[in-house]
Amino acid sequence: MRTFIVDAFTDRPFAGNPAGVCLLEKPAEVAWMQQVAAELNLSETAFVHRVGENSYGLRWFTPTVEVDLCGHATLATAHVLHATRDAAQDATLRFETLSGVLTARRHGRGDITLDFPADPPAAEPVPSGLAKALGTDPVWTGRARHDLLVELAEATAVRDLAPDIVALAAFSGRAVIVTAAAPPGADHDFVSRVFAPAAGIPEDPVTGAAHCVLAPFWSRRLGRTELAGRQLSPRGGRVGVELRGDRVTLLGQAVTVFNGELSTAS
C-alpha cells in the first residue's frame, strides 16, 4: 500500500502542514485507519480509494479521532493523485466525504483549488475562563459548526500567543481558531492560529477547514470575497480564499517529502 507524507499549503518542503496520504484499493476498516493515523502521528492522515472516473472516497483521521472535514489533507491527496498519474492533470477530482462531495482541480504549475462548504461563525459572548486559557483578552468570539473563532486586537497578539493547551480543550469543540487583521502593508489580509487539543492536535500548522470559517468572517469585515490568510504557526503557511455564497474556494500548493509503502505486517 503506497503511503506518502505531503507538506500542504506551501511550495517548499518542511513548511506548511504535513499530511499522510494512503492510497487504498478498497474501503478499509475504521479501527485500522485510526491505527495507521496514530502510527504516522501527523495532524491528519487521508485514506483514499477510487469509486469511479476521477471520483474517490476520502476519509481523514487525526492520531486520535476521525474528522469530517480537512483541507490540507485533501490538498495533499489531490497532489498525490496528480503526481502518481492516478488522475489526469486537467481533471476535476470529486471526493465523497463525511462533509458531502468536495472537489479539487489543479491549475498551472502546481496550484490546486479546493471547493469546500462555508462555515460562517455566529457571535456569542466570550466564554467564561477563555481569556485566562488564552492568556489575553478577546475582542470578539463566535461559534461555527465545530469551531470557536476568537478575534484578537492585532496580529502580533496572535503571533505571540502562548495559550494553556490543556485548559483550551474545554472550549474547542473541534478547534479554537484565533485570528486578527493583518498589519498594514502585508501581502495577506488576516492572520490566524489553530489549536485543536480535543482532537489530539495541540496546534495545527496550516488549516484549510479553519479557513472555511475565516473566509466568511473576514469577507464581512473587509467587504471583499477574495482574500489571503497567513497562519502563524512555527511552520507557517498561506491560504488563498474566495467566498462564493455558501461555498469557499481554497487555493494552495503542496510538496511530497516521503514516498513509501506500508509493510506487509501492517
Side-chain angles (χ1 to χ4, degrees):
M1 182 178 301
R2 298 185 68 182
T3 304
F4 303 78
I5 296 176
V6 176
D7 289 342
F9 292 116
T10 180
D11 60 358
R12 57 188 175 87
F14 313 124
N17 199 352
V21 179
C22 291
L23 300 184
L24 306 175
E25 293 184 0
K26 59 184 180 180
E29 294 284 344
V30 170
W32 178 84
M33 290 189 286
Q34 188 64 76
Q35 288 178 313
V36 173
E39 185 79 7
L40 293 179
N41 200 32
L42 300 167
S43 57
E44 271 92 10
T45 297
F47 297 84
V48 60
H49 68 278
R50 181 186 288 276
V51 297
E53 185 177 0
N54 298 319
S55 182
Y56 302 84
L58 178 62
R59 297 175 77 163
W60 313 276
F61 291 79
T62 78
T64 59
V65 297
E66 183 174 11
V67 294
D68 63 4
L69 187 67
C70 179
H72 85 279
T74 305
L75 179 68
T77 300
H79 169 80
V80 165
L81 292 174
H82 287 305
T84 59
R85 303 199 179 279
D86 190 89
Q89 298 300 301
D90 60 350
T92 296
L93 309 184
R94 291 171 51 85
F95 296 113
E96 298 176 8
T97 78
L98 294 178
S99 291
V101 174
L102 310 175
T103 63
R105 187 172 180 85
R106 188 176 184 270
H107 304 269
R109 299 182 62 184
D111 287 343
I112 295 174
T113 55
L114 307 176
D115 178 38
F116 273 38
D119 190 9
E124 68 171 32
V126 177
S128 176
L130 178 63
K132 182 178 180 181
L134 289 172
T136 191
D137 291 322
V139 298
W140 186 93
T141 55
R143 182 71 61 176
R145 190 159 64 101
H146 295 299
D147 304 320
L148 179 68
L149 181 64
V150 180
E151 183 186 5
L152 300 185
E154 55 186 18
T156 54
V158 177
R159 182 196 65 200
D160 297 338
L161 200 64
D164 182 335
I165 295 295
V166 174
L168 211 57
F171 302 96
S172 64
R174 179 176 62 187
V176 175
I177 306 166
V178 185
T179 189
D187 66 350
H188 48 280
D189 300 291
F190 58 87
V191 301
S192 66
R193 290 174 69 187
V194 177
F195 306 93
I201 307 167
E203 181 170 3
D204 201 28
V206 191
T207 317
H211 284 78
C212 295
V213 179
L214 291 160
F217 175 77
W218 285 109
S219 180
R220 287 197 302 261
R221 287 291 183 90
L222 301 176
R224 290 185 284 117
T225 57
E226 294 188 39
L227 303 164
R230 181 164 294 281
Q231 202 155 322
L232 299 180
S233 67
R235 290 175 66 101
R238 177 185 172 92
V239 183
V241 300
E242 181 182 0
L243 184 66
R244 300 176 292 102
D246 63 354
R247 307 292 294 183
V248 175
T249 297
L250 307 177
L251 173 67
Q253 296 184 340
V255 180
T256 300
V257 296
F258 173 85
N259 177 353
E261 293 183 356
L262 291 180
S263 72
T264 54
S266 61

